[in-house]
Amino acid sequence: AWLNLLSIYPANPQHWATVCKTILKSYNNFTTNFSLKNSATDEKLISCIKSDIKRSKHQLYYLINRDGNKCRTLDEEMELEAHMKRIERILFIFAKVNPKLSYIQGFNELIIPIYYVMHSAINIFFENIDYVEAISYEAFQFLFISSDLKDFFNINLSLCENKISQFDQLLN
């Protein structure tokens, strides 16, 4: 359903494998072009992202254990670290592709449910975790570009107040 709502899943399901490959290729180009270049700006950005992901670790346990319990084995801990690195990379690439937005605290709270849903449906991604990562990025990117969500992550508080006012009117 998320893939349809975010206009990622093709109208013709037979094209799904091609869509996955195309999105992965595009994402891999981003990861190549925007690899961490050890600049002070990139170091600060990645540090901020990592810090937020670590604070969200309790949410990420659900990727390892359906009950959300902490990792019980070294293998589970390594698997969790791999997921954390993928989510960090998604947020880093998003920040580099969208320099006006960059990374803002709270983006981690949005990408984790997207990544979780995609990972939970790994079977429709041909059991390929790279597809899960790339399509999670694509979903996150589309969500921000095609919606007014970016207005809530703007330092201009009048935009947020306007959106909240519209929502209040709708509720009334």
Side-chain angles (χ1 to χ4, degrees), residues 133-152:
E133 180 180 344
I135 292 171
S136 294
Y137 166 81
E138 187 76 12
F140 189 71
Q141 173 78 7
F142 185 84
L143 185 63
F144 266 88
I145 300 309
S146 67
S147 73
D148 293 335
L149 192 57
K150 61 187 165 292
D151 292 346
F152 289 99

Side-chain angles (χ1 to χ4, degrees), residues 5-7 11-12 29 32-33 43 48 54 64 74 76-77 87 96 102 108 116 121 130 142 147 149 157 159 162 170:
L5 290 171
L6 297 172
S7 300
N12 183 343
N29 286 337
T32 299
N33 292 335
E43 288 293 331
C48 182
K54 283 181 184 175
I64 307 304
L74 182 59
E76 287 181 350
E77 191 65 42
I87 292 168
K96 298 304 279 184
S102 188
N108 58 310
Y116 174 81
D130 292 334
F142 185 84
S147 73
L149 192 57
L157 292 178
L159 286 173
N162 184 35
L170 181 63

Side-chain angles (χ1 to χ4, degrees), residues 46-56 88 103 108:
I46 201 72
S47 175
C48 182
I49 291 170
K50 283 183 177 194
S51 175
D52 285 349
I53 296 299
K54 283 181 184 175
R55 280 196 299 272
S56 303
E88 289 167 7
Y103 175 76
N108 58 310

Side-chain angles (χ1 to χ4, degrees), residues 53 56-64 80 84 87 112:
I53 296 299
S56 303
K57 197 172 185 177
H58 64 280
Q59 296 171 10
L60 298 171
Y61 289 136
Y62 287 95
L63 290 164
I64 307 304
L80 181 65
M84 290 171 72
I87 292 168
I112 290 172

Side-chain angles (χ1 to χ4, degrees), residues 75-88:
D75 286 344
E76 287 181 350
E77 191 65 42
M78 290 172 55
E79 184 182 351
L80 181 65
E81 287 295 321
H83 287 301
M84 290 171 72
K85 287 198 180 304
R86 288 181 182 279
I87 292 168
E88 289 167 7

